[in-house]
């Protein structure tokens, strides 16, 4: 399914590529790890991993 979701975001005129990124974050409540995923532009991948 992920390939289809990423493929539908690309348009012929835009020329911008998107990437699905997944980050592992430790929960404050339980201490367990939670996975957060988003689809972001290739230019914004670094910023996604830098923010908390």
């Amino acid at each position: 399914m992920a390939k289809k979701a990423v493929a539908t975001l690309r348009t012929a005129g835009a020329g911008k590529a998107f990437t699905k990124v997944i980050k592992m974050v430790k929960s404050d409540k339980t201490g367990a790890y939670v996975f957060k995923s988003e689809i972001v532009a290739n230019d914004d991948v670094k910023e996604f991993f830098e923010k908390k």
Side-chain angles (χ1 to χ4, degrees), residues 1-9 20 22 37 39:
M1 276 293 221
K3 287 183 182 179
K4 190 173 188 179
V6 172
T8 56
L9 290 174
K20 183 174 184 179
I22 301 171
S37 64
I39 298 176

Side-chain angles (χ1 to χ4, degrees), residues 12-39:
K16 207 171 199 185
F18 291 89
T19 306
K20 183 174 184 179
V21 290
I22 301 171
K23 180 163 76 169
M24 188 168 64
V25 180
K26 193 168 188 176
S27 173
D28 293 333
K29 274 190 203 176
T30 62
Y33 285 97
V34 179
F35 294 96
K36 293 191 177 188
S37 64
E38 287 184 29
I39 298 176

Side-chain angles (χ1 to χ4, degrees), residues 6 9-10 15-21 38-49:
V6 172
L9 290 174
R10 293 184 186 178
K16 207 171 199 185
F18 291 89
T19 306
K20 183 174 184 179
V21 290
E38 287 184 29
I39 298 176
V40 296
N42 284 346
D43 301 336
D44 301 331
V45 171
K46 258 189 191 175
E47 291 144 11
F48 172 79
F49 287 112

